[in-house]
C-alpha cells in the first residue's frame, strides 16, 4: 500500500476483532482488506482529540505547545512554573488560554549546499 491513510485506532481494532471472531481474518492479506475497507479518519476530528483542557490537564512548564485562546486565536506558547502563560516568541503574557496541544513539528528542511 503506497498511499498514506489515517485511521482511528479503536475503529480499526473493533473491525479486526469482529472479522477475526467471524473467521474472516486469517492472513495479512485479510488484515489489509479490512484496512482498505475502512473510511479515512477526518483530520479535523483527529486534531480536536489532541486538545487538552489548560486548567485540568496543563502541560509541563517551559515547553512550547500550541494553545487555543478564548478569542479563537491559536498560538505557540508556554506555561511558566507558576501557571502563567506567555506567547513563545516575545513572551507576551496570555490570560485567556483555554486549551493546549503538543507542538507538532513541521517537515525537516534540507540543508542547502552553498558551495
Amino acid at each position: 500500500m503506497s498511499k498514506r491513510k489515517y485511521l482511528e485506532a479503536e475503529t480499526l481494532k473493533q473491525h479486526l476483532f469482529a472479522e477475526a471472531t467471524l473467521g474472516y481474518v486469517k492472513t495479512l492479506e485479510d488484515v489489509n482488506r479490512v484496512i482498505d475497507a475502512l473510511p479515512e479518519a477526518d483530520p479535523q476530528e483527529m486534531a480536536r482529540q489532541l486538545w487538552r483542557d489548560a486548567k485540568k490537564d496543563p502541560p509541563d512548564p517551559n515547553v512550547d505547545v500550541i494553545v487555543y485562546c478564548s478569542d479563537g486565536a491559536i498560538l505557540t506558547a508556554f506555561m511558566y512554573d507558576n501557571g502563567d502563560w506567555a506567547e513563545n516568541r516575545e513572551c507576551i503574557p496570555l490570560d485567556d488560554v483555554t486549551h493546549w496541544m503538543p507542538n507538532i513539528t513541521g517537515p525537516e528542511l534540507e540543508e542547502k549546499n552553498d558551495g
Side-chain angles (χ1 to χ4, degrees):
M1 185 186 277
S2 62
K3 180 182 177 260
R4 287 186 181 177
K5 184 174 182 179
Y6 298 96
L7 302 173
E8 294 176 7
E10 286 305 313
T11 302
L12 175 59
K13 288 179 194 177
Q14 290 169 2
H15 279 79
L16 286 172
F17 180 78
E19 297 243 352
T21 301
L22 294 170
Y24 298 140
V25 174
K26 296 178 182 149
T27 66
L28 288 177
E29 185 176 311
D30 296 331
V31 172
N32 282 334
R33 177 185 47 77
V34 172
I35 291 170
D36 290 343
L38 287 176
E40 187 162 5
D42 176 20
Q44 283 293 83
E45 181 57 34
M46 291 172 62
R48 269 192 287 284
Q49 294 175 16
L50 292 174
W51 289 111
R52 299 177 188 171
D53 188 294
K55 290 186 180 173
K56 294 178 185 173
D57 184 18
D60 291 334
N62 304 309
V63 174
D64 283 347
V65 296
I66 299 170
V67 298
Y68 182 86
C69 299
S70 60
D71 64 0
I74 298 175
L75 311 162
T76 305
F78 65 94
M79 188 182 72
Y80 290 106
D81 290 324
N82 67 2
D84 290 342
W85 287 91
E87 183 271 339
N88 78 331
R89 287 189 181 201
E90 298 186 29
C91 298
I92 298 169
L94 300 171
D95 59 0
D96 60 347
V97 173
T98 62
H99 292 80
W100 70 276
M101 74 166 65
N103 196 359
I104 300 168
T105 60
E108 291 190 26
L109 300 176
E110 292 182 25
E111 257 186 65
K112 301 229 184 220
N113 189 355
D114 292 332

